[in-house]
Amino acid sequence: MSNVVIAGVGMHPFGRYPDKDPDDIAIEAILKALEDANMTYSDIEFVLAGKVAFKKAGTGIDLMMKVGMTGVPIYQINAMCATGGAMLKLARDAINSGSCEVVLVYGFDKFKGMFDELGDPWQNVLGMKASPAAFATVAQKYMNDYGATEEDFARVAVKAHKNGANNPYALFRNIITIEDVLKSPMVAYPLHLFNFCTPDDGAAAAIVCSKKAAKKFNIRKPITIAATVMQTAQYPPSVVEPSNTYSVNLNKRGVSVTELAAKKAYEMAGLGPQDIDVCEVQDTESAHELVHIEQLGLCKQGEAYKLLREGVWDITGRLPVNPSGGIQCKGEPPGASGLGQVCEIVWQMRGQAGPRQISRDPKVGLCQVFGWNHVAAVTILKK
Amino acid sequence: MGNDSGKQVPFKEGMMRLPQSPADKGDLLGSRCRRCGEKFFIKREICESCQGRDLEEITLGSRGKLYAFSVMYYPAPPPYKPPDPFVPYGLGWIELPGGTVLYSLLTENDPKKLKVGMEMELAFEKFGQDKDGNDVMICKFKPAGTN
């Protein structure tokens, strides 16, 4: 039984804000989360600040100085696109250790273009670490192994936009068709522009606290963090998983970091994939939404695209996936995207998601993030 | 295979053995851990499998099969310097006999001409010149039997 809950969440819409002071983007999400938890910054004992791409030095601390000077420890965390989930693990561990009761976790980023110098220097010089190609290679392998088509990947993007159209926190709020996706320029075979997430600006925050603190602050609908796991590669890594890995031994079965994290998370929560009512998964591009659904054990390997055709992952389906529209619609500020998922699942579990509220009443939700170089985090939330 | 202004040198030490004659296909180089036997592409100091520090250099041959691939239609970010005009380029995982699979540039950039399981062979290309006038050579994989 977990002793740690989410008391409040807040988000600054993901999008492009060239004229806005970047600190103000993060501060807006932080203040909204504090307000949602009915707390003030003086109640916070520990701060975790996620940032991946934005280049300003010391952001974790300097922007917090504008929120309040209370002397608390503030650590900046970077676990690439898995930053949000990685921070939740630290927050939960800190509270479970007894060192504090109330933690502010926020993620912020401002990002444009592709990650430069993602690989080792020699790989970068040769253009080998073009992240779209690394992700697209997984898509190509998925098509080859399971018979999925470019249309199936397009269908993921169409579903994402159907949900994103109803999300005021999303960058793209337009409805698109399969044809629109297939007609958009090919970025990395077999994936088109509309299959990919777009790097953008944004922030998300959560107040994490002990059950005792939640009572003290009169939190009406605390959401329990039933499990949170941060996972890196365990040799041998999964072969095509996006990374800087030079070579892998195919004679041993490499397990994806998401599958490893999910197994631990289900065990920690005392739950299984059959208990999940709603989830947000890392959809760097359309194919990985399907790949991650399978790695989480939510269906058999090679079947996610078939179930997509049947509407299983729709907000009206048996197991809604990415009701927020995912980062295909929200865009991806990598420091903030993981907590963006947490905001969505918390709103869904409280019944506050408005027109994109899923049909069934969710008791258990799951968030999964995956980042470059074999890193993933899985969080299971429970009412 | 380069010009005759200087000798050919590998782009990265411990990555490839350049062909010494027209009949010589060259080799990929790697390391084998003396403790656990695991093999790796490119010379290593630490075994990724058992963290052993005693590794020997091995050759990994010049042929393999295409395991998975993509084609980039936009240039990678700097420090990569794309050709002008930019030409899409292939990338993929190549499975060597013995089960080592490595990530490589491909000479082919048409996805219709690439197929999982097809035979691939090593190809060397001039990347540039070093300060001594030597040709710096990189390796890619090409569909077997093509130029």
Side-chain angles (χ1 to χ4, degrees):
Chain A
M1 194 58 189
S2 173
N3 181 43
V4 180
V5 302
I6 294 178
V9 291
M11 223 175 134
H12 182 291
F14 291 2
R16 298 219 169 81
Y17 306 98
D19 302 324
K20 196 161 179 174
D21 182 332
D23 284 357
D24 291 339
I25 294 174
I27 291 168
E28 184 176 313
I30 291 165
L31 295 181
K32 278 184 177 171
L34 284 168
E35 191 186 342
D36 191 41
N38 201 22
M39 292 185 194
T40 66
Y41 186 52
S42 316
D43 300 316
I44 303 296
E45 298 162 72
F46 183 41
V47 178
L48 292 166
K51 187 193 73 168
V52 176
F54 184 55
K55 293 268 193 299
K56 185 181 175 189
T59 304
I61 294 175
D62 60 358
L63 83 79
M64 288 316 299
M65 295 300 104
K66 297 180 184 174
V67 178
M69 297 188 186
T70 59
V72 300
I74 302 168
Y75 288 86
Q76 189 165 280
I77 305 294
N78 177 354
M80 296 300 283
C81 304
T83 296
M87 288 193 294
L88 278 186
K89 182 211 165 358
L90 283 178
R92 185 173 185 265
D93 287 354
I95 293 166
N96 277 336
S97 78
S99 77
C100 57
E101 299 271 344
V102 187
V103 182
L104 162 66
V105 185
Y106 81 86
F108 155 76
D109 239 318
K110 201 171 170 60
F111 191 27
K112 221 174 150 180
M114 271 184 266
F115 279 109
D116 52 6
E117 305 192 39
L118 197 54
D120 295 345
W122 70 270
Q123 297 174 313
N124 297 331
V125 166
L126 295 182
M128 288 179 74
K129 292 299 134 179
S131 49
F135 282 88
T137 303
V138 180
Q140 189 277 326
K141 184 80 176 125
Y142 187 85
M143 280 169 60
N144 181 76
D145 289 357
Y146 303 120
T149 62
E150 285 180 44
E151 283 80 8
D152 289 311
F153 299 147
R155 203 168 278 123
V156 177
V158 168
K159 174 188 72 72
H161 281 251
K162 219 162 94 184
N163 297 344
N166 287 318
N167 188 352
Y169 294 94
L171 167 67
F172 298 124
R173 302 191 58 192
N174 57 324
I175 297 289
I176 58 170
T177 64
I178 290 179
E179 203 184 19
D180 292 334
V181 182
L182 296 178
K183 273 189 177 162
S184 69
M186 186 76 86
V187 172
Y189 175 82
L191 299 175
H192 297 256
L193 184 64
F194 290 179
N195 286 126
F196 280 92
C197 73
T198 302
D200 64 355
D201 314 339
I207 311 296
V208 180
C209 71
S210 64
K211 282 203 167 139
K212 199 173 108 195
K215 267 203 193 104
K216 183 183 145 195
F217 287 96
N218 255 327
I219 306 300
R220 277 185 300 120
K221 290 179 178 172
I223 302 291
T224 301
I225 302 181
T228 177
V229 174
M230 192 268 206
Q231 180 75 46
T232 61
Q234 194 173 299
Y235 193 87
S238 174
V239 54
V240 288
E241 194 161 83
S243 73
N244 298 332
T245 300
Y246 302 165
S247 67
V248 175
N249 180 357
L250 275 185
N251 298 319
K252 302 175 178 173
R253 186 191 171 237
V255 181
S256 70
V257 284
T258 292
E259 188 179 330
L260 291 169
K263 271 198 187 126
K264 290 179 191 169
Y266 291 135
E267 201 180 301
M268 190 184 284
L271 297 166
Q274 70 284 353
D275 298 310
I276 307 301
D277 298 315
V278 59
C279 65
E280 286 269 313
V281 306
Q282 178 84 29
D283 55 331
T284 306
E285 27 59 43
S286 308
H288 266 82
E289 179 168 319
L290 301 172
V291 168
H292 287 147
I293 287 171
E294 293 172 10
Q295 290 174 348
L296 290 166
L298 301 173
C299 70
K300 283 190 194 138
Q301 230 173 9
E303 298 213 325
Y305 78 92
K306 295 175 190 163
L307 297 172
L308 172 76
R309 292 177 186 173
E310 293 168 21
V312 168
W313 319 122
D314 289 350
I315 60 167
T316 50
R318 178 171 61 76
L319 205 186
V321 174
N322 291 345
S324 70
I327 57 174
Q328 286 168 91
C329 287
K330 284 185 282 190
E332 189 187 29
S337 53
L339 291 176
Q341 293 183 334
V342 170
C343 290
E344 178 69 15
I345 295 297
V346 166
W347 290 326
Q348 289 285 350
M349 293 178 84
R350 291 178 183 163
Q352 295 174 332
R356 63 181 195 289
Q357 182 68 42
I358 65 168
S359 302
R360 60 194 297 185
D361 175 27
K363 305 277 190 293
V364 181
L366 182 149
C367 300
Q368 175 263 353
V369 274
F370 168 80
W372 188 264
N373 243 12
H374 309 299
V375 55
V378 170
T379 302
I380 298 176
L381 301 176
K382 214 175 145 187
K383 258 204 262 212
Chain B
M1 285 214 294
N3 56 37
D4 52 15
S5 63
K7 61 177 182 149
Q8 293 182 344
V9 293
F11 169 79
K12 180 175 167 61
E13 280 304 320
M15 184 178 187
M16 67 192 98
R17 184 187 64 78
L18 294 170
Q20 302 302 309
S21 71
D24 184 359
K25 303 252 188 219
D27 272 311
L28 292 173
L29 296 179
S31 292
R32 184 186 161 277
C33 177
R34 287 200 174 97
R35 190 159 81 179
C36 73
E38 198 73 351
K39 290 176 185 172
F40 305 95
F41 168 50
I42 305 190
K43 188 181 177 196
R44 311 295 178 98
E45 302 295 332
I46 303 171
C47 172
E48 282 179 3
S49 178
C50 77
Q51 298 84 50
R53 301 291 295 274
D54 183 14
L55 292 100
E56 61 181 344
E57 186 169 86
I58 53 169
T59 58
L60 290 166
S62 62
R63 290 182 75 90
K65 284 181 177 164
L66 189 58
Y67 183 80
F69 65 91
S70 180
V71 173
M72 261 312 273
Y73 289 86
Y74 292 85
Y80 172 67
K81 292 193 189 97
D84 184 20
F86 173 71
V87 182
Y89 61 103
L91 289 154
W93 288 89
I94 307 292
E95 182 182 355
L96 305 176
T100 300
V101 57
L102 62 99
Y103 197 57
S104 174
L105 292 165
L106 307 178
T107 58
E108 182 56 65
N109 69 356
D110 180 354
K112 289 193 200 74
K113 292 181 181 162
L114 293 166
K115 199 170 166 9
V116 169
M118 74 193 292
E119 291 286 335
M120 304 289 282
E121 60 188 26
L122 202 54
F124 295 92
E125 247 177 48
K126 181 180 165 182
F127 179 70
Q129 277 193 330
D130 68 12
K131 57 181 181 348
D132 301 322
N134 300 315
D135 288 345
V136 176
M137 305 300 287
I138 58 170
C139 55
K140 297 183 177 180
F141 269 86
K142 64 176 183 183
T146 62
N147 286 318

